[in-house]
Amino acid sequence: MNATYIAPTSTRIAAFTAAILASTVVLGATVLGMQPAGQGADLQVVALERVVVTAPTVN
């Protein structure tokens, strides 16, 4: 039995649109979840030490 089925163009467009919408929702929720909560203009500044890495000499 050789059964082939090709979805109509409107179904393909609807599936593509739903995939884009779902991706946007997931990405937006991820970005919003990563935002600091309860901190307005009171952001802390973190100063890091300067680290210098040098390779050892090889003879």
Side-chain angles (χ1 to χ4, degrees), residues 32-50:
L32 285 177
M34 293 171 54
Q35 299 302 315
Q39 293 182 358
D42 186 24
L43 298 176
Q44 295 179 353
V45 177
V46 178
L48 301 175
E49 294 181 15
R50 183 176 177 179

Side-chain angles (χ1 to χ4, degrees), residues 2-58:
N2 187 7
T4 58
Y5 175 74
I6 298 175
T9 304
S10 61
T11 304
R12 291 181 185 182
I13 292 172
F16 180 74
T17 305
I20 294 296
L21 178 64
S23 297
T24 304
V25 168
V26 169
L27 182 61
T30 302
V31 169
L32 285 177
M34 293 171 54
Q35 299 302 315
Q39 293 182 358
D42 186 24
L43 298 176
Q44 295 179 353
V45 177
V46 178
L48 301 175
E49 294 181 15
R50 183 176 177 179
V51 177
V52 178
V53 178
T54 56
T57 57
V58 177

